[in-house]
Structures are given as C-alpha cells and as structure tokens.
C-alpha cells in the first residue's frame, strides 16, 4: 500500500522588503509492504497532529513505523522524525539520531576528487 498522508505545501509572500515562507510542509508518504512500514519524509511540527491522525486512520501507531526515508534534511522534511523512535532512518548524506535529535553529516570525499 502507498498512501500520501499529507500533501506538501509552500506559500511565499513578499511584504515590506521581506521574503517569507508561510504554511509549509513536505509531503508525507506511507509505504506499507510485507513487514515494513515506511514513511518518506515526516513534515513540519505544525502538521504533527495531522500526520498522527493520518497514521491512525490506517491503524498505524508511531512505534509501528520501521523506516524513515528522508529525501533531504530541510526542517520541513524531518521535523517529525522524533515521533518514530523505533524507525531506522535511511539517507544518503546524514544520520539523524531520533533519540537525541543530533545529526552527523558526512561527505564522501571521493566525490570531490572527480
């Protein structure tokens, strides 16, 4: 099963010389296959309850989520990662510790040599 739990939003405004992003979040997508319950991105804190409600609609508790795939590490994509303490995080460029909130970013030095 694949289900979009939350559609992404991004509203830009420009007032009095300031550029502002309002009402934004990434999409949150649920992939449930065999023994894995996967989320692709987890959205912003402002949409935390909507993510929880959408999971509950599918009879999924946060502790049931086995994996989180973060497309990248902007806050609108990772802010709700801490809801899923048992999930393994999958990302190409960093490991975000769900328990401490710390992120260790590493760079593949071989890419710089090409």
């Amino acid at each position: 099963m694949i289900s979009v739990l939350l559609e992404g939003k991004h509203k830009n405004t420009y007032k009095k010389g300031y550029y502002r992003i309002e009402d934004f979040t990434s999409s949150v997508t649920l992939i449930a296959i065999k023994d894995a319950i996967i989320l692709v991105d987890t959205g912003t804190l402002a949409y935390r309850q909507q993510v929880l409600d959408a999971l509950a609609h599918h009879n999924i508790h946060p502790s049931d989520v086995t994996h989180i795939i973060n497309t990248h590490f902007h806050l609108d994509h990772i802010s709700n990662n801490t809801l899923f303490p048992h999930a393994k995080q999958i990302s190409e460029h960093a490991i975000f510790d769900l328990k401490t909130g710390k992120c260790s970013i590493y760079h593949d030095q071989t890419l710089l040599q090409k």
Side-chain angles (χ1 to χ4, degrees), residues 4-10 21 23-29 39-48 50-51 68-81:
V4 176
L5 301 179
L6 179 66
E7 288 193 31
K9 299 178 180 195
H10 187 180
I21 302 171
D23 194 23
F24 66 98
T25 187
S26 69
S27 293
V28 179
T29 303
L39 292 180
V40 180
D41 291 329
T42 61
T44 61
L45 294 175
Y47 288 90
R48 192 174 195 112
Q50 286 92 325
V51 171
I68 296 170
I69 300 172
N70 288 121
T71 58
H72 60 283
F73 282 86
H74 288 169
L75 289 175
D76 58 323
H77 293 258
I78 67 166
S79 291
N80 289 317
N81 283 10

PDB file of all heavy atoms in Angstrom, residues 4-10 21 23-29 39-48 50-51 68-81:
ATOM      1  N   VAL A   4      -0.489   8.878   0.376  1.00  0.00           N
ATOM      2  CA  VAL A   4       0.003  10.204   0.753  1.00  0.00           C
ATOM      3  C   VAL A   4      -0.775  10.629   1.995  1.00  0.00           C
ATOM      4  O   VAL A   4      -1.983  10.857   1.927  1.00  0.00           O
ATOM      5  CB  VAL A   4      -0.164  11.222  -0.397  1.00  0.00           C
ATOM      6  CG1 VAL A   4       0.265  12.616   0.060  1.00  0.00           C
ATOM      7  CG2 VAL A   4       0.630  10.787  -1.617  1.00  0.00           C
ATOM      8  N   LEU A   5      -0.067  10.696   3.118  1.00  0.00           N
ATOM      9  CA  LEU A   5      -0.709  11.065   4.380  1.00  0.00           C
ATOM     10  C   LEU A   5      -0.923  12.566   4.490  1.00  0.00           C
ATOM     11  O   LEU A   5      -1.862  13.023   5.138  1.00  0.00           O
ATOM     12  CB  LEU A   5       0.135  10.588   5.558  1.00  0.00           C
ATOM     13  CG  LEU A   5       0.417   9.095   5.646  1.00  0.00           C
ATOM     14  CD1 LEU A   5       1.279   8.794   6.867  1.00  0.00           C
ATOM     15  CD2 LEU A   5      -0.874   8.300   5.680  1.00  0.00           C
ATOM     16  N   LEU A   6      -0.020  13.316   3.885  1.00  0.00           N
ATOM     17  CA  LEU A   6      -0.071  14.777   3.950  1.00  0.00           C
ATOM     18  C   LEU A   6       0.525  15.323   2.660  1.00  0.00           C
ATOM     19  O   LEU A   6       1.624  14.939   2.276  1.00  0.00           O
ATOM     20  CB  LEU A   6       0.742  15.262   5.155  1.00  0.00           C
ATOM     21  CG  LEU A   6       0.832  16.765   5.402  1.00  0.00           C
ATOM     22  CD1 LEU A   6      -0.534  17.335   5.764  1.00  0.00           C
ATOM     23  CD2 LEU A   6       1.827  17.045   6.524  1.00  0.00           C
ATOM     24  N   GLU A   7      -0.215  16.172   1.983  1.00  0.00           N
ATOM     25  CA  GLU A   7       0.310  16.809   0.773  1.00  0.00           C
ATOM     26  C   GLU A   7       1.176  17.996   1.142  1.00  0.00           C
ATOM     27  O   GLU A   7       0.845  18.755   2.060  1.00  0.00           O
ATOM     28  CB  GLU A   7      -0.835  17.264  -0.129  1.00  0.00           C
ATOM     29  CG  GLU A   7      -1.540  16.112  -0.795  1.00  0.00           C
ATOM     30  CD  GLU A   7      -2.458  16.572  -1.909  1.00  0.00           C
ATOM     31  OE1 GLU A   7      -2.157  17.598  -2.560  1.00  0.00           O
ATOM     32  OE2 GLU A   7      -3.474  15.908  -2.110  1.00  0.00           O
ATOM     33  N   GLY A   8       2.267  18.161   0.430  1.00  0.00           N
ATOM     34  CA  GLY A   8       3.188  19.256   0.693  1.00  0.00           C
ATOM     35  C   GLY A   8       2.556  20.610   0.409  1.00  0.00           C
ATOM     36  O   GLY A   8       1.670  20.738  -0.438  1.00  0.00           O
ATOM     37  N   LYS A   9       3.009  21.622   1.152  1.00  0.00           N
ATOM     38  CA  LYS A   9       2.525  22.997   0.980  1.00  0.00           C
ATOM     39  C   LYS A   9       3.714  23.931   1.028  1.00  0.00           C
ATOM     40  O   LYS A   9       4.672  23.697   1.769  1.00  0.00           O
ATOM     41  CB  LYS A   9       1.579  23.381   2.112  1.00  0.00           C
ATOM     42  CG  LYS A   9       0.342  22.551   2.228  1.00  0.00           C
ATOM     43  CD  LYS A   9      -0.476  23.005   3.411  1.00  0.00           C
ATOM     44  CE  LYS A   9      -1.733  22.164   3.532  1.00  0.00           C
ATOM     45  NZ  LYS A   9      -2.694  22.778   4.425  1.00  0.00           N
ATOM     46  N   HIS A  10       3.617  25.010   0.287  1.00  0.00           N
ATOM     47  CA  HIS A  10       4.681  26.017   0.308  1.00  0.00           C
ATOM     48  C   HIS A  10       4.102  27.317  -0.244  1.00  0.00           C
ATOM     49  O   HIS A  10       3.845  27.439  -1.434  1.00  0.00           O
ATOM     50  CB  HIS A  10       5.854  25.548  -0.558  1.00  0.00           C
ATOM     51  CG  HIS A  10       7.045  26.436  -0.451  1.00  0.00           C
ATOM     52  ND1 HIS A  10       8.186  26.188  -1.148  1.00  0.00           N
ATOM     53  CD2 HIS A  10       7.291  27.541   0.267  1.00  0.00           C
ATOM     54  CE1 HIS A  10       9.083  27.113  -0.878  1.00  0.00           C
ATOM     55  NE2 HIS A  10       8.550  27.951  -0.021  1.00  0.00           N
ATOM     56  N   ILE A  21       8.270  32.583   3.877  1.00  0.00           N
ATOM     57  CA  ILE A  21       7.621  31.325   3.518  1.00  0.00           C
ATOM     58  C   ILE A  21       6.627  31.019   4.623  1.00  0.00           C
ATOM     59  O   ILE A  21       6.988  30.950   5.791  1.00  0.00           O
ATOM     60  CB  ILE A  21       8.644  30.187   3.383  1.00  0.00           C
ATOM     61  CG1 ILE A  21       9.697  30.525   2.339  1.00  0.00           C
ATOM     62  CG2 ILE A  21       7.945  28.880   3.030  1.00  0.00           C
ATOM     63  CD1 ILE A  21      10.858  29.556   2.311  1.00  0.00           C
ATOM     64  N   ASP A  23       3.076  28.689   5.921  1.00  0.00           N
ATOM     65  CA  ASP A  23       2.274  27.483   5.765  1.00  0.00           C
ATOM     66  C   ASP A  23       2.976  26.469   4.868  1.00  0.00           C
ATOM     67  O   ASP A  23       2.548  26.196   3.766  1.00  0.00           O
ATOM     68  CB  ASP A  23       0.895  27.830   5.205  1.00  0.00           C
ATOM     69  CG  ASP A  23      -0.062  26.653   5.346  1.00  0.00           C
ATOM     70  OD1 ASP A  23       0.177  25.785   6.213  1.00  0.00           O
ATOM     71  OD2 ASP A  23      -1.032  26.590   4.580  1.00  0.00           O
ATOM     72  N   PHE A  24       4.064  25.924   5.368  1.00  0.00           N
ATOM     73  CA  PHE A  24       4.827  24.988   4.554  1.00  0.00           C
ATOM     74  C   PHE A  24       5.057  23.671   5.279  1.00  0.00           C
ATOM     75  O   PHE A  24       5.130  23.602   6.496  1.00  0.00           O
ATOM     76  CB  PHE A  24       6.172  25.597   4.153  1.00  0.00           C
ATOM     77  CG  PHE A  24       7.116  25.834   5.311  1.00  0.00           C
ATOM     78  CD1 PHE A  24       8.106  24.919   5.603  1.00  0.00           C
ATOM     79  CD2 PHE A  24       6.997  26.966   6.091  1.00  0.00           C
ATOM     80  CE1 PHE A  24       8.971  25.134   6.664  1.00  0.00           C
ATOM     81  CE2 PHE A  24       7.861  27.189   7.149  1.00  0.00           C
ATOM     82  CZ  PHE A  24       8.854  26.258   7.441  1.00  0.00           C
ATOM     83  N   THR A  25       5.130  22.623   4.516  1.00  0.00           N
ATOM     84  CA  THR A  25       5.496  21.293   4.967  1.00  0.00           C
ATOM     85  C   THR A  25       5.799  20.457   3.745  1.00  0.00           C
ATOM     86  O   THR A  25       5.303  20.739   2.657  1.00  0.00           O
ATOM     87  CB  THR A  25       4.387  20.626   5.806  1.00  0.00           C
ATOM     88  OG1 THR A  25       4.893  19.391   6.348  1.00  0.00           O
ATOM     89  CG2 THR A  25       3.142  20.361   4.999  1.00  0.00           C
ATOM     90  N   SER A  26       6.603  19.442   3.949  1.00  0.00           N
ATOM     91  CA  SER A  26       6.803  18.476   2.876  1.00  0.00           C
ATOM     92  C   SER A  26       5.601  17.553   2.824  1.00  0.00           C
ATOM     93  O   SER A  26       4.781  17.513   3.749  1.00  0.00           O
ATOM     94  CB  SER A  26       8.065  17.641   3.132  1.00  0.00           C
ATOM     95  OG  SER A  26       7.856  16.772   4.239  1.00  0.00           O
ATOM     96  N   SER A  27       5.500  16.805   1.764  1.00  0.00           N
ATOM     97  CA  SER A  27       4.541  15.707   1.738  1.00  0.00           C
ATOM     98  C   SER A  27       5.040  14.619   2.676  1.00  0.00           C
ATOM     99  O   SER A  27       6.238  14.493   2.924  1.00  0.00           O
ATOM    100  CB  SER A  27       4.434  15.128   0.320  1.00  0.00           C
ATOM    101  OG  SER A  27       3.868  16.068  -0.547  1.00  0.00           O
ATOM    102  N   VAL A  28       4.114  13.832   3.198  1.00  0.00           N
ATOM    103  CA  VAL A  28       4.456  12.662   3.999  1.00  0.00           C
ATOM    104  C   VAL A  28       3.770  11.482   3.336  1.00  0.00           C
ATOM    105  O   VAL A  28       2.546  11.482   3.162  1.00  0.00           O
ATOM    106  CB  VAL A  28       3.981  12.806   5.463  1.00  0.00           C
ATOM    107  CG1 VAL A  28       4.325  11.557   6.267  1.00  0.00           C
ATOM    108  CG2 VAL A  28       4.583  14.052   6.100  1.00  0.00           C
ATOM    109  N   THR A  29       4.572  10.502   2.938  1.00  0.00           N
ATOM    110  CA  THR A  29       4.045   9.355   2.206  1.00  0.00           C
ATOM    111  C   THR A  29       4.288   8.078   2.991  1.00  0.00           C
ATOM    112  O   THR A  29       5.385   7.838   3.494  1.00  0.00           O
ATOM    113  CB  THR A  29       4.708   9.248   0.819  1.00  0.00           C
ATOM    114  OG1 THR A  29       4.488  10.480   0.117  1.00  0.00           O
ATOM    115  CG2 THR A  29       4.118   8.114   0.008  1.00  0.00           C
ATOM    116  N   LEU A  39       7.940   5.600   6.084  1.00  0.00           N
ATOM    117  CA  LEU A  39       7.497   6.957   5.788  1.00  0.00           C
ATOM    118  C   LEU A  39       8.562   7.637   4.949  1.00  0.00           C
ATOM    119  O   LEU A  39       9.754   7.546   5.259  1.00  0.00           O
ATOM    120  CB  LEU A  39       7.290   7.766   7.067  1.00  0.00           C
ATOM    121  CG  LEU A  39       6.144   7.340   7.964  1.00  0.00           C
ATOM    122  CD1 LEU A  39       6.083   8.242   9.194  1.00  0.00           C
ATOM    123  CD2 LEU A  39       4.826   7.374   7.226  1.00  0.00           C
ATOM    124  N   VAL A  40       8.139   8.313   3.909  1.00  0.00           N
ATOM    125  CA  VAL A  40       9.035   9.155   3.128  1.00  0.00           C
ATOM    126  C   VAL A  40       8.776  10.578   3.575  1.00  0.00           C
ATOM    127  O   VAL A  40       7.707  11.125   3.347  1.00  0.00           O
ATOM    128  CB  VAL A  40       8.800   8.995   1.614  1.00  0.00           C
ATOM    129  CG1 VAL A  40       9.755   9.899   0.837  1.00  0.00           C
ATOM    130  CG2 VAL A  40       8.967   7.539   1.187  1.00  0.00           C
ATOM    131  N   ASP A  41       9.765  11.132   4.296  1.00  0.00           N
ATOM    132  CA  ASP A  41       9.685  12.437   4.947  1.00  0.00           C
ATOM    133  C   ASP A  41       8.598  12.433   6.026  1.00  0.00           C
ATOM    134  O   ASP A  41       7.708  11.579   6.013  1.00  0.00           O
ATOM    135  CB  ASP A  41       9.484  13.571   3.946  1.00  0.00           C
ATOM    136  CG  ASP A  41      10.717  13.796   3.077  1.00  0.00           C
ATOM    137  OD1 ASP A  41      11.842  13.559   3.570  1.00  0.00           O
ATOM    138  OD2 ASP A  41      10.558  14.197   1.917  1.00  0.00           O
ATOM    139  N   THR A  42       8.712  13.372   6.962  1.00  0.00           N
ATOM    140  CA  THR A  42       7.774  13.375   8.093  1.00  0.00           C
ATOM    141  C   THR A  42       7.101  14.723   8.340  1.00  0.00           C
ATOM    142  O   THR A  42       6.294  14.850   9.258  1.00  0.00           O
ATOM    143  CB  THR A  42       8.486  12.920   9.388  1.00  0.00           C
ATOM    144  OG1 THR A  42       9.552  13.832   9.695  1.00  0.00           O
ATOM    145  CG2 THR A  42       9.019  11.501   9.273  1.00  0.00           C
ATOM    146  N   GLY A  43       7.422  15.739   7.534  1.00  0.00           N
ATOM    147  CA  GLY A  43       6.721  17.017   7.634  1.00  0.00           C
ATOM    148  C   GLY A  43       7.198  17.919   8.763  1.00  0.00           C
ATOM    149  O   GLY A  43       8.151  17.617   9.468  1.00  0.00           O
ATOM    150  N   THR A  44       6.502  19.050   8.918  1.00  0.00           N
ATOM    151  CA  THR A  44       6.858  20.043   9.926  1.00  0.00           C
ATOM    152  C   THR A  44       6.058  19.837  11.208  1.00  0.00           C
ATOM    153  O   THR A  44       5.027  19.161  11.226  1.00  0.00           O
ATOM    154  CB  THR A  44       6.581  21.479   9.439  1.00  0.00           C
ATOM    155  OG1 THR A  44       5.187  21.599   9.165  1.00  0.00           O
ATOM    156  CG2 THR A  44       7.380  21.834   8.216  1.00  0.00           C
ATOM    157  N   LEU A  45       6.527  20.474  12.271  1.00  0.00           N
ATOM    158  CA  LEU A  45       5.850  20.370  13.566  1.00  0.00           C
ATOM    159  C   LEU A  45       4.422  20.901  13.508  1.00  0.00           C
ATOM    160  O   LEU A  45       3.538  20.410  14.205  1.00  0.00           O
ATOM    161  CB  LEU A  45       6.641  21.124  14.632  1.00  0.00           C
ATOM    162  CG  LEU A  45       8.014  20.540  14.963  1.00  0.00           C
ATOM    163  CD1 LEU A  45       8.738  21.448  15.948  1.00  0.00           C
ATOM    164  CD2 LEU A  45       7.904  19.133  15.493  1.00  0.00           C
ATOM    165  N   ALA A  46       4.179  21.891  12.680  1.00  0.00           N
ATOM    166  CA  ALA A  46       2.834  22.468  12.569  1.00  0.00           C
ATOM    167  C   ALA A  46       1.810  21.438  12.086  1.00  0.00           C
ATOM    168  O   ALA A  46       0.613  21.584  12.339  1.00  0.00           O
ATOM    169  CB  ALA A  46       2.848  23.671  11.629  1.00  0.00           C
ATOM    170  N   TYR A  47       2.272  20.395  11.419  1.00  0.00           N
ATOM    171  CA  TYR A  47       1.384  19.363  10.873  1.00  0.00           C
ATOM    172  C   TYR A  47       1.543  18.029  11.593  1.00  0.00           C
ATOM    173  O   TYR A  47       1.115  16.987  11.112  1.00  0.00           O
ATOM    174  CB  TYR A  47       1.619  19.211   9.365  1.00  0.00           C
ATOM    175  CG  TYR A  47       1.080  20.399   8.622  1.00  0.00           C
ATOM    176  CD1 TYR A  47       1.874  21.506   8.384  1.00  0.00           C
ATOM    177  CD2 TYR A  47      -0.237  20.436   8.218  1.00  0.00           C
ATOM    178  CE1 TYR A  47       1.375  22.619   7.747  1.00  0.00           C
ATOM    179  CE2 TYR A  47      -0.761  21.544   7.574  1.00  0.00           C
ATOM    180  CZ  TYR A  47       0.060  22.631   7.338  1.00  0.00           C
ATOM    181  OH  TYR A  47      -0.450  23.745   6.706  1.00  0.00           O
ATOM    182  N   ARG A  48       2.128  18.076  12.783  1.00  0.00           N
ATOM    183  CA  ARG A  48       2.387  16.864  13.568  1.00  0.00           C
ATOM    184  C   ARG A  48       1.103  16.068  13.825  1.00  0.00           C
ATOM    185  O   ARG A  48       1.058  14.855  13.632  1.00  0.00           O
ATOM    186  CB  ARG A  48       3.060  17.274  14.876  1.00  0.00           C
ATOM    187  CG  ARG A  48       3.648  16.154  15.660  1.00  0.00           C
ATOM    188  CD  ARG A  48       4.412  16.728  16.860  1.00  0.00           C
ATOM    189  NE  ARG A  48       5.257  15.712  17.420  1.00  0.00           N
ATOM    190  CZ  ARG A  48       6.585  15.728  17.388  1.00  0.00           C
ATOM    191  NH1 ARG A  48       7.222  16.727  16.855  1.00  0.00           N
ATOM    192  NH2 ARG A  48       7.275  14.747  17.918  1.00  0.00           N
ATOM    193  N   GLN A  50      -1.759  16.152  12.235  1.00  0.00           N
ATOM    194  CA  GLN A  50      -2.332  15.617  11.005  1.00  0.00           C
ATOM    195  C   GLN A  50      -1.622  14.336  10.570  1.00  0.00           C
ATOM    196  O   GLN A  50      -2.268  13.402  10.092  1.00  0.00           O
ATOM    197  CB  GLN A  50      -2.274  16.652   9.873  1.00  0.00           C
ATOM    198  CG  GLN A  50      -3.284  17.765  10.023  1.00  0.00           C
ATOM    199  CD  GLN A  50      -2.731  18.961  10.778  1.00  0.00           C
ATOM    200  OE1 GLN A  50      -1.927  18.840  11.703  1.00  0.00           O
ATOM    201  NE2 GLN A  50      -3.159  20.142  10.405  1.00  0.00           N
ATOM    202  N   VAL A  51      -0.306  14.282  10.762  1.00  0.00           N
ATOM    203  CA  VAL A  51       0.447  13.064  10.432  1.00  0.00           C
ATOM    204  C   VAL A  51      -0.003  11.919  11.345  1.00  0.00           C
ATOM    205  O   VAL A  51      -0.277  10.805  10.881  1.00  0.00           O
ATOM    206  CB  VAL A  51       1.968  13.301  10.540  1.00  0.00           C
ATOM    207  CG1 VAL A  51       2.745  11.992  10.412  1.00  0.00           C
ATOM    208  CG2 VAL A  51       2.423  14.296   9.474  1.00  0.00           C
ATOM    209  N   ILE A  68      12.274   5.403   8.096  1.00  0.00           N
ATOM    210  CA  ILE A  68      12.012   6.747   7.588  1.00  0.00           C
ATOM    211  C   ILE A  68      13.023   7.008   6.490  1.00  0.00           C
ATOM    212  O   ILE A  68      14.223   6.838   6.694  1.00  0.00           O
ATOM    213  CB  ILE A  68      12.179   7.829   8.676  1.00  0.00           C
ATOM    214  CG1 ILE A  68      11.159   7.640   9.793  1.00  0.00           C
ATOM    215  CG2 ILE A  68      12.061   9.227   8.071  1.00  0.00           C
ATOM    216  CD1 ILE A  68      11.432   8.518  11.002  1.00  0.00           C
ATOM    217  N   ILE A  69      12.530   7.407   5.339  1.00  0.00           N
ATOM    218  CA  ILE A  69      13.412   7.836   4.254  1.00  0.00           C
ATOM    219  C   ILE A  69      13.304   9.344   4.168  1.00  0.00           C
ATOM    220  O   ILE A  69      12.233   9.878   3.878  1.00  0.00           O
ATOM    221  CB  ILE A  69      13.014   7.201   2.910  1.00  0.00           C
ATOM    222  CG1 ILE A  69      13.100   5.675   3.002  1.00  0.00           C
ATOM    223  CG2 ILE A  69      13.896   7.748   1.786  1.00  0.00           C
ATOM    224  CD1 ILE A  69      12.554   4.950   1.790  1.00  0.00           C
ATOM    225  N   ASN A  70      14.393  10.031   4.470  1.00  0.00           N
ATOM    226  CA  ASN A  70      14.411  11.488   4.336  1.00  0.00           C
ATOM    227  C   ASN A  70      15.019  11.851   3.000  1.00  0.00           C
ATOM    228  O   ASN A  70      16.152  11.480   2.708  1.00  0.00           O
ATOM    229  CB  ASN A  70      15.216  12.142   5.466  1.00  0.00           C
ATOM    230  CG  ASN A  70      14.487  12.074   6.785  1.00  0.00           C
ATOM    231  OD1 ASN A  70      14.993  11.522   7.742  1.00  0.00           O
ATOM    232  ND2 ASN A  70      13.290  12.603   6.846  1.00  0.00           N
ATOM    233  N   THR A  71      14.251  12.572   2.198  1.00  0.00           N
ATOM    234  CA  THR A  71      14.751  12.958   0.879  1.00  0.00           C
ATOM    235  C   THR A  71      15.899  13.943   0.988  1.00  0.00           C
ATOM    236  O   THR A  71      16.804  13.937   0.164  1.00  0.00           O
ATOM    237  CB  THR A  71      13.625  13.556   0.022  1.00  0.00           C
ATOM    238  OG1 THR A  71      13.060  14.685   0.704  1.00  0.00           O
ATOM    239  CG2 THR A  71      12.547  12.507  -0.260  1.00  0.00           C
ATOM    240  N   HIS A  72      15.850  14.797   2.018  1.00  0.00           N
ATOM    241  CA  HIS A  72      16.945  15.705   2.350  1.00  0.00           C
ATOM    242  C   HIS A  72      16.645  16.298   3.725  1.00  0.00           C
ATOM    243  O   HIS A  72      15.598  16.030   4.303  1.00  0.00           O
ATOM    244  CB  HIS A  72      17.152  16.782   1.283  1.00  0.00           C
ATOM    245  CG  HIS A  72      15.983  17.673   1.053  1.00  0.00           C
ATOM    246  ND1 HIS A  72      14.877  17.289   0.324  1.00  0.00           N
ATOM    247  CD2 HIS A  72      15.731  18.930   1.476  1.00  0.00           C
ATOM    248  CE1 HIS A  72      14.004  18.283   0.299  1.00  0.00           C
ATOM    249  NE2 HIS A  72      14.495  19.284   0.995  1.00  0.00           N
ATOM    250  N   PHE A  73      17.580  17.086   4.254  1.00  0.00           N
ATOM    251  CA  PHE A  73      17.498  17.482   5.647  1.00  0.00           C
ATOM    252  C   PHE A  73      17.058  18.921   5.875  1.00  0.00           C
ATOM    253  O   PHE A  73      17.599  19.606   6.729  1.00  0.00           O
ATOM    254  CB  PHE A  73      18.823  17.179   6.352  1.00  0.00           C
ATOM    255  CG  PHE A  73      18.918  15.724   6.670  1.00  0.00           C
ATOM    256  CD1 PHE A  73      19.391  14.829   5.742  1.00  0.00           C
ATOM    257  CD2 PHE A  73      18.472  15.245   7.891  1.00  0.00           C
ATOM    258  CE1 PHE A  73      19.443  13.486   6.014  1.00  0.00           C
ATOM    259  CE2 PHE A  73      18.517  13.898   8.180  1.00  0.00           C
ATOM    260  CZ  PHE A  73      19.003  13.017   7.239  1.00  0.00           C
ATOM    261  N   HIS A  74      16.030  19.366   5.158  1.00  0.00           N
ATOM    262  CA  HIS A  74      15.392  20.633   5.489  1.00  0.00           C
ATOM    263  C   HIS A  74      14.361  20.355   6.580  1.00  0.00           C
ATOM    264  O   HIS A  74      13.770  19.274   6.638  1.00  0.00           O
ATOM    265  CB  HIS A  74      14.703  21.232   4.271  1.00  0.00           C
ATOM    266  CG  HIS A  74      15.645  21.765   3.256  1.00  0.00           C
ATOM    267  ND1 HIS A  74      15.225  22.142   2.001  1.00  0.00           N
ATOM    268  CD2 HIS A  74      16.980  21.990   3.275  1.00  0.00           C
ATOM    269  CE1 HIS A  74      16.262  22.585   1.304  1.00  0.00           C
ATOM    270  NE2 HIS A  74      17.334  22.494   2.065  1.00  0.00           N
ATOM    271  N   LEU A  75      14.145  21.335   7.439  1.00  0.00           N
ATOM    272  CA  LEU A  75      13.247  21.134   8.576  1.00  0.00           C
ATOM    273  C   LEU A  75      11.828  20.741   8.175  1.00  0.00           C
ATOM    274  O   LEU A  75      11.156  20.030   8.917  1.00  0.00           O
ATOM    275  CB  LEU A  75      13.212  22.382   9.454  1.00  0.00           C
ATOM    276  CG  LEU A  75      14.492  22.634  10.252  1.00  0.00           C
ATOM    277  CD1 LEU A  75      14.389  23.960  11.000  1.00  0.00           C
ATOM    278  CD2 LEU A  75      14.770  21.501  11.215  1.00  0.00           C
ATOM    279  N   ASP A  76      11.381  21.184   7.005  1.00  0.00           N
ATOM    280  CA  ASP A  76      10.027  20.818   6.598  1.00  0.00           C
ATOM    281  C   ASP A  76       9.915  19.355   6.182  1.00  0.00           C
ATOM    282  O   ASP A  76       8.822  18.848   5.961  1.00  0.00           O
ATOM    283  CB  ASP A  76       9.505  21.741   5.499  1.00  0.00           C
ATOM    284  CG  ASP A  76      10.367  21.767   4.261  1.00  0.00           C
ATOM    285  OD1 ASP A  76      11.604  21.699   4.384  1.00  0.00           O
ATOM    286  OD2 ASP A  76       9.809  21.863   3.150  1.00  0.00           O
ATOM    287  N   HIS A  77      11.026  18.653   6.116  1.00  0.00           N
ATOM    288  CA  HIS A  77      11.037  17.236   5.754  1.00  0.00           C
ATOM    289  C   HIS A  77      11.350  16.317   6.935  1.00  0.00           C
ATOM    290  O   HIS A  77      11.048  15.126   6.875  1.00  0.00           O
ATOM    291  CB  HIS A  77      12.066  16.980   4.647  1.00  0.00           C
ATOM    292  CG  HIS A  77      11.694  17.609   3.358  1.00  0.00           C
ATOM    293  ND1 HIS A  77      11.155  16.904   2.304  1.00  0.00           N
ATOM    294  CD2 HIS A  77      11.756  18.903   2.936  1.00  0.00           C
ATOM    295  CE1 HIS A  77      10.912  17.722   1.296  1.00  0.00           C
ATOM    296  NE2 HIS A  77      11.272  18.942   1.664  1.00  0.00           N
ATOM    297  N   ILE A  78      11.964  16.837   8.007  1.00  0.00           N
ATOM    298  CA  ILE A  78      12.440  15.964   9.082  1.00  0.00           C
ATOM    299  C   ILE A  78      11.901  16.293  10.478  1.00  0.00           C
ATOM    300  O   ILE A  78      12.196  15.583  11.430  1.00  0.00           O
ATOM    301  CB  ILE A  78      13.982  15.972   9.157  1.00  0.00           C
ATOM    302  CG1 ILE A  78      14.494  17.340   9.604  1.00  0.00           C
ATOM    303  CG2 ILE A  78      14.602  15.532   7.849  1.00  0.00           C
ATOM    304  CD1 ILE A  78      15.945  17.347  10.028  1.00  0.00           C
ATOM    305  N   SER A  79      11.124  17.337  10.616  1.00  0.00           N
ATOM    306  CA  SER A  79      10.764  17.810  11.961  1.00  0.00           C
ATOM    307  C   SER A  79       9.996  16.800  12.795  1.00  0.00           C
ATOM    308  O   SER A  79      10.063  16.831  14.019  1.00  0.00           O
ATOM    309  CB  SER A  79       9.971  19.115  11.871  1.00  0.00           C
ATOM    310  OG  SER A  79      10.813  20.149  11.419  1.00  0.00           O
ATOM    311  N   ASN A  80       9.267  15.897  12.171  1.00  0.00           N
ATOM    312  CA  ASN A  80       8.501  14.911  12.933  1.00  0.00           C
ATOM    313  C   ASN A  80       9.202  13.560  13.047  1.00  0.00           C
ATOM    314  O   ASN A  80       8.601  12.586  13.512  1.00  0.00           O
ATOM    315  CB  ASN A  80       7.106  14.742  12.325  1.00  0.00           C
ATOM    316  CG  ASN A  80       6.257  15.962  12.572  1.00  0.00           C
ATOM    317  OD1 ASN A  80       6.247  16.511  13.669  1.00  0.00           O
ATOM    318  ND2 ASN A  80       5.556  16.409  11.552  1.00  0.00           N
ATOM    319  N   ASN A  81      10.469  13.482  12.662  1.00  0.00           N
ATOM    320  CA  ASN A  81      11.203  12.220  12.782  1.00  0.00           C
ATOM    321  C   ASN A  81      11.173  11.674  14.210  1.00  0.00           C
ATOM    322  O   ASN A  81      11.135  10.467  14.407  1.00  0.00           O
ATOM    323  CB  ASN A  81      12.660  12.392  12.355  1.00  0.00           C
ATOM    324  CG  ASN A  81      12.843  12.434  10.860  1.00  0.00           C
ATOM    325  OD1 ASN A  81      11.889  12.513  10.102  1.00  0.00           O
ATOM    326  ND2 ASN A  81      14.081  12.396  10.427  1.00  0.00           N
TER     327      ASN A  81
END
